[in-house]
Amino acid sequence: MIKPIYLYGAEVLRQKASEANLNDREAIAALVQDLKDTLVRADGCGLAAPQIGVSQRVVIVDGDVVADTYPYLKDFRRTLINPEILEESPEQVTYSEGCLSIPGIYCDVLRPKKIKVRYYNEALEEVTEEFDNFAARMIQHELSHLDGDLFTDHAAPIRKKMISSKLLNITKGKVHPHYNSKLK
């Protein structure tokens, strides 16, 4: 089911999400389907459960949306349940990031180029996988949501100052994304 995406200023986006109950397969399957339906409608490349108001450690990423720019991400899709970053490369790269919860704002963010993650997939099988380049970027961005961390938190101080009025406007409802959204 398509859910509204919570926007900047919503409390759920700043909470540390709890682990998903792996014994409740039906609830996890329903949450994952809601995330997929909502992501497709919003035309994004990733979504975390807190962004639809569910404070659980579940994220999805879909590289098809960015495959024109990053062809290696064609058909790259992952569902990560209770993910944990095990390793980060010392090499870091900067990319411009955006977010469905912060529409219309983009900032350069420095993150590790490669990561190793342990998670449960949709079949609730434990997986350990390495990701690099933009796949690592998408996953790190979504995993940050699980800790109440937003990409704008990592922007350079001058950039934060430049976007502060836009962020304030989002909290006041002065933004109209093309997808269903919610402030609180």
Side-chain angles (χ1 to χ4, degrees):
M1 176 183 300
I2 297 170
K3 300 287 187 177
I5 294 176
Y6 283 70
L7 298 179
Y8 182 86
E11 288 182 30
V12 70
L13 296 177
R14 292 300 191 174
Q15 297 170 352
K16 183 172 174 72
S18 60
E19 289 203 353
N21 179 356
L22 298 179
N23 294 319
D24 194 346
R25 289 178 176 270
E26 286 183 24
I28 289 175
L31 175 57
V32 168
Q33 191 60 55
D34 289 348
L35 286 166
K36 287 179 178 181
D37 292 345
T38 304
L39 183 64
V40 167
R41 173 62 180 93
D43 199 29
C45 65
L47 197 61
Q51 291 180 273
I52 61 168
V54 180
S55 190
Q56 289 187 28
R57 300 186 77 77
V58 179
V59 304
I60 62 170
V61 293
D62 185 343
D64 273 352
V65 176
V66 294
D68 287 347
T69 305
Y70 306 105
Y72 61 91
L73 292 177
K74 178 82 174 130
D75 299 323
F76 176 85
R77 292 179 189 85
R78 295 290 186 282
T79 298
L80 294 88
I81 302 165
N82 296 338
E84 176 187 1
I85 295 178
L86 302 174
E87 295 176 18
E88 297 177 341
S89 68
E91 182 182 2
Q92 298 195 342
V93 290
T94 300
Y95 284 102
S96 180
E97 292 187 21
C99 182
L100 294 171
S101 291
I102 310 175
I105 296 177
Y106 300 89
C107 297
D108 285 345
V109 177
L110 183 67
R111 296 192 193 265
K113 183 177 180 180
K114 296 180 185 180
I115 56 172
K116 184 180 202 178
V117 182
R118 181 174 49 227
Y119 64 94
Y120 291 90
N121 63 18
E122 282 184 69
L124 301 183
E125 303 162 327
E126 188 174 300
V127 177
T128 299
E129 190 172 5
E130 292 184 10
F131 303 97
D132 62 7
N133 300 316
F134 203 77
R137 171 69 43 162
M138 290 189 305
I139 290 168
Q140 289 175 84
H141 176 104
E142 298 310 326
L143 296 190
S144 290
H145 278 293
L146 303 180
D147 293 324
D149 191 27
L150 303 175
F151 80 97
T152 51
D153 299 336
H154 303 283
I158 188 72
R159 183 70 176 136
K160 284 182 186 179
K161 189 167 183 76
M162 291 170 62
I163 64 172
S164 62
S165 63
K166 289 181 180 180
L167 292 172
L168 183 61
N169 282 339
I170 293 172
T171 66
K172 292 179 177 181
K174 295 180 180 179
V175 65
H176 303 288
H178 68 276
Y179 43 86
N180 189 12
S181 61
K182 190 171 186 172
L183 285 172
K184 298 182 183 203

